[in-house]
Amino acid sequence: MSLILPDGLPAIKRLKEEHIFIENCTQTEDRSTRKLRIALLNIMPIKEITEMDFARVLSYSPLNIELTLMKLRTHTPKHASLEHMERFYTYFDELKDEKFDGFIVTGAPIEHLEFEDVSYWKELSEIFAWADANVKSTLYICWAAQAGLYYHYGVPKHQLPTKKFGIFRQKVMNPTLPLFRGFDDTFNMPHSRHTEVRAEEIRIHSELDIVAESAESGTSIVYAHNGRQIFITGHMEYEPYTLDKEYRRDKDKRDDVDVPQNYYIDDNPANKPNVTWRAHANLLFNNWINYYLL
């Protein structure tokens, strides 16, 4: 089947080069085959990279999936052109009456702020409430996982002494969950964050279940309401060189940037990344689609 993206989205050219079958909305207007609709609220700074990351992992499903890009009315991105946002993104208030099967909320580089101090927190809270009432399952990613746990359950975030940066081994705590069908007992997950949520503050909520965690990086996946809410504190969607680009960008700005852990071959930044998470990433998103959206 195919991944259905907005006409002209820049990610399409790159994805086709990777032999991913893409169609546009116009090509599928007359199709009788059912398609799943997934909305992506992309609040990461570099929109085009994030669009491609999620389009890539969603493309492994054998189903027709239409990806709709959502934006906030109360936030103007600094690193995306106005033309790009107007052409490919739609405001939440223009989408809230449409039906979506799944919803994904990305991270954002605003961990230093208290949630209520985020300029678009009120609108984001409205979106979280809308998703909970109208979407079969929502994936909250990285900062959004912390924000979602705080909004829905009052779980606080905490500043880390040093940035959690690299690839960390995770243990599957509930292997019977459909989310982990086909998984090994452990899997790797990229992390890039300055804050954390703590297991002891999650476990006091009977609605929440920590289903994957790490001795090194802590809580990684929290599961609620039979999968209607899934909170992922890392970035399974990352492509191989995302952490490398982040490391080199920050290293050019200051001298105290640590090398991402367990990432480069022989832990040497002169070498290429050792990609150890992509198979489980594809399986995770495919399981989410098959068992939580259908």
Side-chain angles (χ1 to χ4, degrees):
M1 296 297 180
S2 60
L3 182 65
I4 304 161
L5 298 176
D7 297 355
L9 190 71
I12 291 174
K13 182 176 183 295
R14 170 73 181 275
L15 293 168
K16 285 185 174 181
E17 289 172 354
E18 297 177 16
H19 308 291
I20 294 171
F21 189 67
I22 306 291
E23 293 190 24
N24 58 45
C25 296
T26 305
Q27 289 174 309
T28 58
E29 282 178 354
D30 297 326
R31 279 197 172 192
S32 58
T33 305
R34 180 173 182 247
K35 63 187 177 187
L36 291 177
R37 298 193 71 205
I38 296 174
L40 171 66
L41 177 59
N42 182 5
I43 47 179
M44 289 285 275
I46 312 301
K47 306 298 181 190
E48 295 185 17
I49 291 176
T50 303
E51 294 157 9
M52 190 149 47
D53 283 347
F54 281 103
R56 184 182 290 112
V57 291
L58 294 174
S59 73
Y60 286 91
S61 171
L63 304 171
N64 286 322
I65 295 175
E66 180 179 343
L67 184 63
T68 298
L69 302 175
M70 179 186 291
K71 62 182 175 179
L72 298 163
R73 195 170 288 279
T74 54
H75 173 65
T76 301
K78 296 179 180 178
H79 302 284
S81 71
L82 181 61
E83 178 186 6
H84 185 86
M85 298 303 295
E86 288 183 344
R87 183 176 177 186
F88 301 116
Y89 283 74
T90 306
Y91 288 116
F92 161 67
D93 56 42
E94 297 173 338
L95 291 172
K96 64 181 181 180
D97 293 327
E98 296 187 25
K99 176 174 174 50
F100 291 93
D101 300 287
F103 186 44
I104 302 171
V105 189
T106 74
I110 49 176
E111 296 170 282
H112 61 289
L113 296 174
E114 296 298 325
F115 293 118
E116 289 86 352
D117 293 335
V118 174
S119 61
Y120 48 84
W121 180 250
K122 181 180 179 182
E123 184 178 10
L124 193 63
S125 298
E126 293 173 3
I127 293 172
F128 287 171
W130 165 83
D132 206 38
N134 294 281
V135 179
K136 293 178 183 177
S137 179
T138 300
L139 295 182
Y140 297 85
I141 308 295
C142 196
W143 177 84
Q146 298 179 3
L149 285 167
Y150 178 77
Y151 171 78
H152 290 294
Y153 304 100
V155 176
K157 65 181 173 71
H158 300 274
Q159 190 73 29
L160 290 165
T162 59
K163 183 179 182 180
K164 191 63 63 179
F165 190 38
I167 312 299
F168 301 97
R169 177 71 66 176
Q170 313 296 321
K171 181 179 180 181
V172 175
M173 307 302 292
N174 189 346
T176 63
L177 277 184
L179 188 66
F180 296 124
R181 185 170 186 259
F183 267 60
D184 299 316
D185 292 339
T186 62
F187 65 98
N188 286 330
M189 179 184 288
H191 285 264
S192 178
R193 52 186 169 82
H194 295 274
T195 54
E196 68 174 356
V197 288
R198 294 176 178 169
E200 62 269 22
E201 294 174 328
I202 294 171
R203 291 195 171 103
I204 63 176
H205 298 275
S206 60
E207 309 98 319
L208 299 175
D209 187 14
I210 298 173
V211 296
E213 63 182 1
S214 165
E216 293 180 285
S217 60
T219 298
S220 59
I221 303 180
V222 181
Y223 186 92
H225 300 295
N226 295 318
R228 286 184 60 84
Q229 301 167 341
I230 300 172
F231 306 92
I232 302 175
T233 64
H235 287 281
M236 293 297 282
E237 80 281 0
Y238 270 5
E239 63 95 21
Y241 280 90
T242 300
L243 292 183
D244 176 71
K245 292 173 184 174
E246 184 176 335
Y247 166 67
R248 298 184 190 283
R249 178 201 67 199
D250 292 347
K251 194 171 183 296
D252 286 342
K253 296 179 181 178
R254 58 185 198 274
D255 298 326
D256 61 343
V257 179
D258 293 331
V259 174
Q261 295 177 255
N262 314 311
Y263 178 56
Y264 296 109
I265 294 174
D266 298 326
D267 291 321
N268 183 350
N271 295 330
K272 68 179 185 178
N274 184 27
V275 182
T276 60
W277 67 93
R278 294 314 302 272
H280 280 104
N282 296 332
L283 188 55
L284 180 78
F285 280 90
N286 209 19
N287 284 345
W288 177 61
I289 291 167
N290 287 342
Y291 296 107
Y292 300 92
L293 303 191
L294 290 176

